């Protein structure tokens, strides 16, 4: 049995979508970041920096959402991943692109437009948003191009890279960054959203506790 520790944000969503798509049995444990439960001693044992998501499996704790998605796939017959090193590298690369580049800039929208006004008692910083928009204008066309020529981000089969990327792009639902200019990406996004597993994951993560 797997336990996923999460909160109602996009990082835990990556992992819960992966678990739902894999069809595995798991328990979801809400950690209330607003109440700083993530800094409680028991959570510091799960994650050195007191963050979510964390996966617990057979008494071990795994953190970092990309590592968790890979672990879930690897312990379930490499479904949504690949036994072929080249294809696995393509999937890894796309997830790195999301974590290091595109996701980084999407996170600025999440932080400035959602977190700052709600929790930091300040308005969004327009300079930060402008910088993020500049980078996203350059980088989102890459994703659009990928799904213009193949059904999924890494080829003919859905992968953990799709689960991972979709979770980041949910930031566009609640902020001013828009997928409208990217017709192929927008279509892929709607296809992902319509999947029953993705719907269950969003319900679980965004409707918790
Ligand atoms: N790189 C980490 C990021 C995890 C992360 O920043 N999680 C946020 C929630 S989306 C968190 O736990 N924040 C609490 C804090 O930093 O105090 C991952 O991909 O798992």
């Amino acid at each position: 049995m797997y336990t996923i520790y999460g909160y109602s944000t996009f990082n835990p969503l990556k992992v819960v979508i992966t678990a739902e798509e894999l069809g595995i049995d798991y328990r979801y444990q809400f950690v209330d970041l607003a109440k700083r439960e993530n800094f409680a001693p028991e959570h510091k044992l799960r994650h050195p920096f007191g963050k979510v998501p964390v996966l617990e499996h057979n008494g071990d704790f795994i953190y970092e959402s990309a590592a968790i998605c890979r672990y879930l796939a690897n312990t379930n017959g490499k479904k949504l991943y690949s036994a072929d090193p080249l294809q696995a590298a393509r999937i890894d690369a796309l997830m790195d692109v999301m974590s290091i580049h595109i996701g980084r800039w999407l996170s600025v929208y999440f932080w400035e437009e959602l977190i700052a006004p709600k929790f930091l008692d300040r308005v969004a910083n327009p300079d930060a948003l402008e910088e993020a928009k500049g980078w996203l204008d350059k980088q989102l066309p890459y994703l659009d191009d990928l799904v213009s020529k193949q059904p999924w981000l890494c080829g003919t089969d859905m992968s953990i890279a799709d689960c991972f990327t979709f979770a980041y792009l949910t930031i566009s639902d609640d902020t001013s960054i828009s997928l409208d200019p990217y017709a192929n990406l927008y279509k892929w996004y709607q296809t992902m959203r319509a999947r029953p597993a993705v719907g269950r994951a969003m319900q679980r993560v965004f409707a918790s506790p």
Side-chain angles (χ1 to χ4, degrees), residues 93-150:
L94 206 278
M95 290 165 79
D96 284 353
V97 161
M98 291 310 299
S99 297
I100 298 164
H101 300 289
I102 298 176
R104 173 193 170 182
W105 300 115
L106 288 169
S107 301
V108 171
Y109 278 84
F110 175 80
W111 195 258
E112 293 300 324
E113 293 190 352
L114 302 178
I115 300 298
K118 196 168 169 193
F119 295 108
L120 306 180
D121 199 23
R122 67 166 175 84
V123 296
N125 174 349
D127 293 340
L129 290 173
E130 193 186 328
E131 185 188 21
K133 173 88 168 53
W135 285 104
L136 289 170
D137 285 350
K138 290 190 183 76
Q139 295 173 352
L140 285 174
Y142 172 66
L143 297 182
D144 190 64
D145 186 51
L146 286 177
V147 286
S148 72
K149 40 194 187 210
Q150 56 197 24

Side-chain angles (χ1 to χ4, degrees), residues 4 6-20 28 53 65 69 163-164 166-171 173 189 197-206:
I4 297 170
Y7 184 66
S8 49
T9 44
F10 61 90
N11 281 312
L13 182 64
K14 300 166 186 170
V15 172
V16 177
I17 291 176
T18 300
E20 287 287 349
Y28 183 73
S65 54
C69 292
C163 305
F164 199 80
F166 176 85
Y168 270 117
L169 291 175
T170 60
I171 293 171
D173 291 347
Y189 185 72
V198 173
R200 286 194 299 275
M202 291 180 80
Q203 173 69 20
R204 172 151 276 179
V205 170
F206 292 144

Side-chain angles (χ1 to χ4, degrees), residues 9-12 14 33 38-39 49-53 64-66 168:
T9 44
F10 61 90
N11 281 312
K14 300 166 186 170
L33 302 189
N38 50 319
F39 295 117
F49 308 138
K51 291 180 185 285
V52 290
E64 280 299 326
S65 54
Y168 270 117

